């Protein structure tokens, strides 16, 4: 398994600065959270590419936050959809340039996507078709405030689209949606290709450094081992939820230890 950190953990630090800081702290498996379209253009584009090359980084995923996605992709106006697809084409070109194979996809929010399931799946399938031309996987994330926060809807995506449907499992978003991450893992299983990790507990809240909560990581890693999950897992925190960068370091140590323990337990 590839365990790393998302640059989102350092937000609102500029993306290229966050990438450099993580690289200098010794992390090699990283998710890039792209906060705006201009980060795909020079000079930021060249800065990101240089950091990736200089530090031999393994960029596990690109997690974009395009403002136009919720308004254009799920629109009933054909030209808006076409414009959205062209915008995504640039993201996919940059992903090829930076050696990234997985794009984390939020999809539409519950408030803005008042559309049928069929239209949503049609738009997602169209995005998949474009991404496949670039050798890229679009992984629908379970986001509590989005249509994808509903596990039944995610199961429907998997049923309707088969092996083409892929998912990012976010632990804090599952909790916020009132859903068990274990239930998501069981029902989507091999269709999950990326994980956003953070800890949680009832007394403090969610999105915590690993070890600050009581989430059942040993049990979670055991379940991952049972489905032979050997893909990416990144720590994704909010800046206000930790006080020192050492908590990022410690979180990654803990995640790697849980992973090692789960492998040893399976061998035993």
């Amino acid at each position: 398994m590839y365990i790393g950190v998302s640059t989102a953990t350092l937000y609102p630090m500029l993306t290229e600065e966050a990438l450099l800081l993580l690289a200098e702290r010794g992390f090699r498996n990283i998710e890039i959270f792209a906060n705006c379209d201009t980060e795909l253009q020079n000079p930021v584009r060249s800065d990101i590419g240089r950091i990736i090359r200089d530090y031999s980084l393994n960029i596990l995923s690109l997690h974009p936050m395009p403002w136009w996605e919720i308004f254009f992709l799920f629109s009933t106006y054909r030209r808006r959809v076409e414009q959205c697809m062209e915008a995504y084409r640039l993201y996919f070109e940059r992903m090829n340039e930076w050696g990234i194979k997985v794009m984390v996809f939020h999809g539409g929010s519950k408030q803005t996507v008042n559309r049928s399931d069929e239209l949503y799946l049609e738009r997602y399938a169209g995005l998949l078709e474009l991404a496949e031309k670039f050798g890229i996987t679009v992984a629908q994330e379970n986001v509590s405030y989005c249509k994808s926060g509903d596990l039944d809807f995610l199961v429907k995506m998997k049923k309707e689209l088969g092996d083409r449907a892929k998912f990012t499992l976010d632990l804090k978003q599952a909790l916020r949606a009132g859903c068990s991450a274990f239930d998501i893992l069981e029902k989507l299983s091999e269709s999950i290709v990326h994980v956003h990790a953070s800890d949680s507990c009832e007394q403090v809240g969610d999105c915590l450094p690993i070890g600050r909560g009581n989430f059942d990581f040993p049990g979670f890693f055991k379940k991952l081992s049972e489905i032979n999950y050997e893909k990416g897992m990144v720590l994704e925190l909010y800046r206000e939820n930790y006080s020192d960068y050492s908590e990022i370091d410690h979180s990654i140590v803990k995640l790697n230890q849980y992973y090692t323990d789960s492998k040893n337990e399976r061998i035993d």
Side-chain angles (χ1 to χ4, degrees), residues 83-185:
Q83 180 178 332
C84 185
M85 289 297 183
E86 284 305 306
Y88 266 119
R89 183 182 296 274
L90 177 59
Y91 277 84
F92 297 150
E93 289 174 351
R94 290 295 172 267
M95 290 176 70
N96 278 179
E97 183 179 323
W98 296 333
I100 311 173
K101 295 299 184 183
V102 175
M103 188 189 80
V104 178
F105 178 65
H106 276 184
S109 68
K110 296 175 182 176
Q111 290 73 25
T112 57
V113 181
N114 186 21
R115 310 294 186 208
S116 68
D117 291 354
E118 287 68 30
L119 185 140
Y120 190 104
L121 295 178
E122 178 185 326
R123 295 289 187 267
Y124 176 70
L127 187 58
L128 290 182
E129 184 177 351
L130 177 62
E132 287 163 358
K133 295 178 181 178
F134 293 85
I136 287 168
T137 297
V138 178
Q140 171 72 70
E141 183 178 16
N142 61 300
V143 183
S144 60
Y145 58 84
C146 288
K147 195 175 181 75
S148 60
D150 182 354
L151 178 54
D152 288 340
F153 177 67
L154 298 180
V155 172
K156 182 174 183 178
M157 290 182 69
K158 179 179 178 180
K159 179 180 179 181
E160 295 293 327
L161 297 171
D163 292 339
R164 299 183 70 205
K166 302 298 180 184
F167 302 94
T168 294
L169 169 53
D170 187 300
L171 302 186
K172 64 182 176 298
Q173 292 293 340
L175 186 64
R176 292 179 181 188
C179 182
S180 165
F182 286 87
D183 287 344
I184 297 176
L185 185 57

Side-chain angles (χ1 to χ4, degrees), residues 47-66:
D47 288 342
I48 289 176
R50 175 182 52 78
I51 296 168
I52 292 173
R53 292 190 302 272
D54 289 352
Y55 289 88
S56 300
L57 301 181
N58 178 28
I59 307 301
L60 298 173
S61 56
L62 179 72
H63 190 177
M65 183 64 80

